Amino acid sequence: LRSAFGCSLIAEGGILLELPQICQANAQTMFHRFYMNQSFEVFPVEDLAPAALFLAAKMEEKPRKARHVLSVMECVEFRRRKEKYVEESVKLPRSMKLRTSVLFRNEMLLLKELGFRLYSSMSRSPHRYLVFFVQTLQTSLEAQKLLAQKAWAYLNDSFRI
């Protein structure tokens, strides 16, 4: 349940940051790989989801500033609580510095846990091959489009499990 929650945070944050879906999928993969060996009690999902998204954005060469990632993830949390978002970091620059240092620390934890091996496993994401495989089918363009949309949706859902 916590894993699905973290992946939905990553997906929602990735959409608001206007990151490509492959970047969101890579962040979710890193997130799952981290929690294969670590505890949800020791490392809260709310702290690690932004770090995974931040690292995946860098890895896909779509980097976002730490401040933007943190602001967007804070906005996502406010949305989930159905509260109006007011950027507190304008009033409290110390708070943003503290959250930025936590983000960088969690990014390092994520890198250490993954053994600094990111590209080899992330480059094999099924999203990268989906369109190619659908195009090899000898069907109409409309059938290919429908199949690709359904398969893409299944892939996105599978990352949230």
Side-chain angles (χ1 to χ4, degrees):
L1 191 62
R2 290 183 192 176
S3 182
F5 173 69
C7 286
S8 67
L9 283 177
I10 290 170
E12 201 170 334
I15 289 167
L16 292 175
L17 286 167
E18 297 178 356
L19 291 170
Q21 280 190 316
I22 192 73
C23 185
Q24 296 170 41
N26 284 342
Q28 290 170 341
T29 301
M30 284 188 274
F31 181 82
H32 283 300
R33 286 179 57 203
F34 180 84
Y35 281 113
M36 282 185 350
N37 298 321
Q38 297 298 330
S39 169
F40 286 108
E41 283 78 29
V42 177
F43 300 102
V45 170
E46 294 83 2
D47 290 344
L48 221 34
L53 196 56
F54 184 65
L55 185 57
K58 284 196 226 179
M59 192 179 85
E60 288 294 324
E61 296 183 8
K62 304 282 185 195
R64 298 298 189 262
K65 291 183 179 181
R67 181 184 183 99
H68 294 157
V69 172
L70 291 169
S71 295
V72 163
M73 296 309 277
E74 187 179 41
C75 181
V76 168
E77 288 179 33
F78 273 84
R79 276 178 154 184
R80 288 174 178 262
R81 287 183 280 178
K82 296 186 174 58
E83 296 176 14
K84 187 173 180 178
Y85 175 69
V86 178
E87 190 172 358
E88 295 174 12
S89 59
V90 174
K91 301 175 207 163
L92 303 169
R94 274 182 145 172
S95 171
M96 183 53 82
K97 284 183 182 179
L98 178 65
R99 291 185 306 166
T100 303
S101 67
V102 169
L103 177 71
F104 292 147
R105 185 199 62 183
N106 287 331
E107 180 187 24
M108 286 306 297
L109 285 170
L110 196 58
L111 284 166
K112 280 183 188 178
E113 183 61 38
L114 301 177
F116 291 87
R117 287 174 284 145
L118 297 176
Y119 194 73
S120 63
S121 63
M122 302 303 156
S123 64
R124 290 185 236 134
S125 172
H127 287 81
R128 294 194 186 276
Y129 304 108
L130 177 70
V131 176
F132 170 75
F133 287 131
V134 169
Q135 288 175 344
T136 60
L137 299 173
Q138 300 296 323
T139 60
S140 69
L141 189 60
E142 194 61 39
Q144 286 180 1
K145 184 177 177 182
L146 183 63
L147 179 63
Q149 286 175 340
K150 285 186 178 186
W152 195 273
Y154 284 132
L155 281 176
N156 286 339
D157 290 344
S158 73
F159 276 99
R160 293 185 181 142
I161 296 173

